[in-house]
Amino acid sequence: MAYDEHLAERVHQLLKRRRGFSKRKMFGGICFMLHGNMCCGVTQNELMLRLGEKNVLKALEEPFTREMDFTGKPLKSMIYVDQPGFEDEADLKEWVNRAVKFVQSLPPKT
């Protein structure tokens, strides 16, 4: 298993009713998209979030977060959150909502 399917299902439940929702296998895991823009995802047992450069800097000050360095080079607009940071359903929802808020500021992809 390349990613935690239970975590992916939890995220799916939070996003499935949103307009423009889709999912796609990427980054060795699963990504959740809104209007064609990558919003968040799951790789192994980590939550991956697209927050934008400004929001990433603030998020990295919080516990259980780190730069997303999938390619060996940090991606400036994305972070990983380790399991203790989203075990609680309210925490997971908060993280996913932060990513949704950022992605909603982007133009839809066609």
Side-chain angles (χ1 to χ4, degrees):
M1 174 171 63
Y3 61 90
D4 181 333
E5 292 179 15
H6 176 68
L7 173 57
E9 181 58 26
R10 289 172 63 203
V11 175
H12 181 261
Q13 291 301 315
L14 291 171
L15 293 172
K16 71 180 182 179
R17 289 187 178 88
R18 291 191 176 268
R19 183 172 261 167
F21 170 77
S22 62
K23 58 185 176 177
R24 182 179 305 165
K25 289 193 176 190
M26 292 172 61
F27 297 110
I30 190 157
C31 291
F32 300 97
M33 320 286 281
L34 292 175
H35 300 287
N37 290 299
M38 193 270 192
C39 178
C40 58
V42 177
T43 61
Q44 297 177 3
N45 63 347
E46 295 175 310
L47 182 63
M48 144 178 85
L49 300 161
R50 183 176 185 187
L51 301 175
E53 286 186 49
K54 184 175 85 174
N55 299 323
V56 160
L57 294 174
K58 184 177 177 184
L60 286 172
E61 295 173 4
E62 297 183 44
F64 312 114
T65 62
R66 64 184 173 88
E67 292 179 319
M68 183 175 170
D69 57 357
F70 179 77
T71 62
K73 180 177 163 185
L75 299 172
K76 294 179 182 180
S77 67
M78 298 181 73
I79 65 166
Y80 286 125
V81 180
D82 293 327
Q83 223 166 2
F86 57 80
E87 282 178 333
D88 183 79
E89 210 58 36
D91 291 336
L92 178 64
K93 187 175 184 176
E94 172 63 27
W95 281 118
V96 170
N97 285 340
R98 285 170 149 185
V100 166
K101 184 177 179 181
F102 172 72
V103 171
Q104 286 177 332
S105 74
L106 303 174
K109 290 186 177 179
T110 54

